Amino acid sequence: KNEVEQSPQNLTAQEGEFITINCSYSVGISALHWLQQHPGGGIVSLFMLSSGKKKHGRLIATINIQEKHSSLHITASHPRDSAVYICAVRRGAGNQFYFGTGTSLTVIP
Amino acid sequence: EAGVVQSPRYKIIEKKQPVAFWCNPISGHNTLYWYRQNLGQGPELLIRYENEEAVDDSQLPKDRFSAERLKGVDSTLKIQPAELGDSAVYLCASSFPSRELFFGEGSRLTVL
């Protein structure tokens, strides 16, 4: 069983739609990271969360430590948001990461 | 500030040949990671360095894979001999302790 589970695995949306990607984890963490990977591209860090909520432009990330769950929301989605979104958790005080398998998002114009 | 630099971006080799990947992390980042990513999967850790010490290499296939991080800065990952199943993207990442993770563009390996 993977320590980090994401859903859905694949998501197709119309431009302008509100999108939610979910991440659940089963281990104790010190932080949760949301990452973005465009096709053929490198991985970029979007958010690092240890509690509450963060917002950057049209992206919002929330985390519930008690429920071991995080969500990534995209408001007013755009075709350029099409990418794989990966949830990763940092284990304890160390530098060990566990990764989800990613959610592949396609936004259709 | 320069990001994590990897080379080569692409490499095509025949099976049983050797291959090496190079990574230059962000200046000052003492933690360096090598990951392997297969299509449709998340990154899988191969080895993690804290400065020049390999602190987690439990997932590194040591019969054919080796890595080094001389002077705690640049790192190389080597595969010898390569097998068909080694075709993947090899990602290097670096970070400060308890801070964000920065990835390089990756090195895409195709073994024929």
Side-chain angles (χ1 to χ4, degrees), chain B residues 32-44:
Chain B
L32 184 147
Y33 307 80
W34 280 105
Y35 291 98
R36 177 168 58 190
Q37 187 179 29
N38 291 303
L39 191 64
Q41 300 292 318
E44 298 174 340

Side-chain angles (χ1 to χ4, degrees), chain A residues 26-77:
Chain A
S26 59
V27 295
I29 69 168
S30 57
L32 182 143
H33 299 245
W34 281 103
L35 310 168
Q36 180 191 56
Q37 186 173 30
H38 281 103
I43 297 176
V44 176
S45 178
L46 297 175
F47 295 103
M48 183 176 74
L49 291 164
S50 54
S51 65
K53 174 180 173 179
K54 286 190 176 181
K55 185 176 188 291
H56 181 70
R58 295 180 294 105
L59 301 178
I60 303 167
T62 64
I63 188 168
N64 185 317
I65 297 294
Q66 287 73 29
E67 295 186 4
K68 295 186 175 178
H69 180 269
S70 175
S71 293
L72 176 68
H73 306 285
I74 305 175
T75 61
S77 59

Side-chain angles (χ1 to χ4, degrees), chain B residues 12-40:
Chain B
I12 301 173
I13 60 172
E14 294 189 345
K15 63 181 181 182
K16 300 185 181 179
Q17 294 298 307
V19 63
F21 305 110
W22 175 81
C23 174
N24 180 236
I26 291 175
S27 178
H29 282 192
N30 51 357
T31 306
L32 184 147
Y33 307 80
W34 280 105
Y35 291 98
R36 177 168 58 190
Q37 187 179 29
N38 291 303
L39 191 64

